[in-house]
Amino acid sequence: MPIAIGLEGSANKLGVGIILHPSASTPSSPHDSAHSGDEAFTSKSTSPPVQILANLRHTFVSPPGTGFLPKDTAAHHRRWVVRLTKQALKQARIQLEDVDCICYTKGPGMGAPLGAVAIAARTLSQLWDKPLIGVNHCVGHIEMGRAITGAENPVVLYVSGGNTQVIAYSAQRYRIFGEALDIAVGNCLDRFARVLNISNDPAPGYNIEQLAKDGKCLLELPYAVKGMDVSFSGILARLEELARRLTTTTSASPWLDPDTGLDITKSDLCFTLQETVFAMLVEITERAMAHVGAQQVLIVGGVGCNERLQQMMGMMASERGGSVYATDERFCIDNGIMIAHAGLLAHGKGFETKLEESTFTQRFRTDEVLVNWRD
């Protein structure tokens, strides 16, 4: 029963996860009460069964109106990685000799945070004499989503702070059908949150989602779908203009919605942003489904937690007789368990990252990875 430790730190979240891949015929063991936070969890996927022994995460939160700088994020990861690793081992109730490999995020992501985690993984690999497995962050999201939800061969919408891609599997590769041409959808949300001085705790996208629930006025924004690709920078620029107008509005000179006569609020801007960018994502996902003949959509990545995105995608899929799969924040937000899972799949096929090749990279395409653990 192979066990892997996964270290994730491509952005502002440091995750350490421990996973076990039992064989289908293996009887129950103490590991069957898999821990994820305070809840026991065992996936019911049609993929190889997985048992989550530990899934810990610590987030670097910057002040409202600011983003997270690479050097500060890397310092956060260095401060917390040893502590989280010790806590994960304790929670998993395993010994070092039980661990088969150390997996880490090779990329893509922010350079300095990736470097901090790569060094930690190399150190553990040498201290414990365990094989090292470099993992593509995007593939980690996809494989964890498949394992948790049981989606068999879905079109994947991968949406996060650094990536926006529509993906489908073919011939041992995850093929990219469409993507963002400039900034990722999560980056668009995060940067808009800074403009409105919205808190980064627990996450700017989450806080935008909550504000959007009170929005009533849908304003006009650019709608930038270019074939199978999307663009968000123009939308962000227009929203910045609208936000400046909102801050200069007074009771003597109100900004009213021409249709309803209601005052335009911060919530209306958040609502408008979500409705526009999510409609774009639904459109290109539906086009990919039609192209490959898929009936399933799997949403992964941090933005995939957004309930409004899941709802809009569900409406589209149901009209096509399909279904949508998504996970909660334990698995859609960056985490170490997805790195452990994808790394253990690769390790099972004989893959290993040599110490001299245990680098990290900010650019690592999803379709560069040989996915030889799938048919």
Side-chain angles (χ1 to χ4, degrees):
M1 295 188 295
I3 295 176
I5 297 179
L7 276 67
E8 153 60 26
S10 59
N12 68 324
K13 293 169 180 63
L14 174 68
V16 178
I18 302 179
I19 200 164
L20 179 146
H21 284 188
S23 62
S25 59
T26 301
S28 297
S29 72
H31 295 306
D32 288 343
S33 278
H35 292 280
S36 178
D38 296 326
E39 302 178 30
F41 179 85
T42 301
S43 104
K44 297 178 177 62
S45 168
T46 55
S47 306
V50 301
Q51 293 179 359
I52 297 164
L53 308 183
N55 186 19
L56 304 180
R57 180 168 54 216
H58 197 275
T59 303
F60 172 65
V61 179
S62 58
T66 67
F68 47 91
L69 297 175
K71 63 181 179 64
D72 296 333
T73 309
H76 165 269
H77 292 358
R78 288 192 293 270
R79 281 195 302 272
W80 280 90
V81 67
V82 173
R83 192 181 318 180
L84 283 189
T85 302
K86 287 181 176 179
Q87 290 175 358
L89 287 168
K90 182 178 180 181
Q91 186 181 99
R93 301 192 295 274
I94 61 172
Q95 304 299 318
L96 292 182
E97 53 267 25
D98 298 326
V99 177
D100 290 272
C101 59
I102 309 294
C103 311
Y104 77 99
T105 304
K106 186 179 180 70
M110 300 172 69
L114 282 172
V117 170
I119 291 171
R122 287 185 211 133
T123 303
L124 294 179
S125 173
Q126 292 179 86
L127 282 174
W128 299 344
D129 192 26
K130 303 293 182 181
L132 192 61
I133 312 293
V135 175
N136 180 286
H137 178 87
C138 314
V139 171
H141 272 297
I142 296 169
E143 292 300 347
M144 199 70 231
R146 289 181 61 240
I148 294 298
T149 65
E152 295 177 358
N153 191 26
V155 165
V156 179
L157 176 66
Y158 171 33
V159 278
S160 68
N163 299 275
T164 300
Q165 297 175 348
V166 177
I167 300 162
Y169 174 79
S170 176
Q172 298 192 328
R173 300 276 176 177
Y174 283 116
R175 313 289 176 172
I176 300 172
F177 278 72
E179 58 191 320
L181 297 172
D182 39 38
I183 60 174
V185 63
N187 187 246
C188 179
L189 293 168
D190 292 349
R191 288 167 65 176
F192 179 61
R194 291 179 222 165
V195 173
L196 291 184
N197 211 38
I198 294 172
S199 173
N200 291 320
D201 188 15
Y206 173 82
N207 293 327
I208 287 176
E209 180 184 1
Q210 303 315 307
L211 284 168
K213 292 177 180 178
D214 296 325
K216 298 179 176 62
C217 302
L218 182 63
L219 305 174
E220 186 174 349
L221 289 179
Y223 188 88
V225 174
K226 305 172 187 291
M228 282 298 295
D229 298 323
V230 289
S231 172
F232 299 112
S233 57
I235 294 172
L236 178 61
R238 177 57 178 156
L239 279 166
E240 290 172 345
E241 294 176 357
L242 296 177
R244 283 194 293 270
R245 180 177 178 183
L246 184 65
T247 57
T248 58
T249 299
T250 64
S251 57
S253 178
W255 181 15
L256 304 177
D257 178 64
D259 296 324
T260 64
L262 299 173
D263 288 325
I264 301 297
T265 66
K266 182 186 294 188
S267 292
D268 293 325
L269 296 186
C270 294
F271 171 70
T272 296
L273 170 58
Q274 282 199 165
E275 294 298 301
T276 303
V277 299
F278 292 167
M280 292 162 56
L281 296 172
V282 170
E283 178 183 335
I284 62 173
T285 303
E286 182 175 18
R287 196 173 291 126
M289 290 178 70
H291 182 79
V292 303
Q295 293 297 307
Q296 298 179 338
V297 178
L298 172 64
I299 308 176
V300 299
V303 182
C305 294
N306 190 292
E307 293 179 356
R308 179 55 180 157
L309 174 58
Q310 295 177 15
Q311 181 187 40
M312 292 173 69
M313 195 67 71
M315 292 168 62
M316 177 275 289
S318 64
E319 289 175 358
R320 299 182 59 86
S323 53
V324 172
Y325 296 81
T327 65
D328 60 29
E329 67 279 357
R330 292 175 299 169
F331 306 108
C332 64
I333 297 173
D334 290 350
N335 59 86
I337 204 71
M338 71 183 195
I339 302 302
H341 177 50
L344 200 50
L345 289 173
H347 181 62
K349 291 296 182 178
F351 178 78
E352 181 179 342
T353 302
K354 297 178 182 178
L355 183 63
E356 59 270 21
E357 297 174 354
S358 59
T359 56
F360 58 92
T361 175
Q362 292 178 270
R363 293 174 175 82
F364 191 1
R365 298 277 293 178
T366 312
D367 50 11
E368 292 178 28
V369 180
L370 177 65
V371 187
N372 59 353
W373 53 86
R374 290 192 62 176
D375 295 332

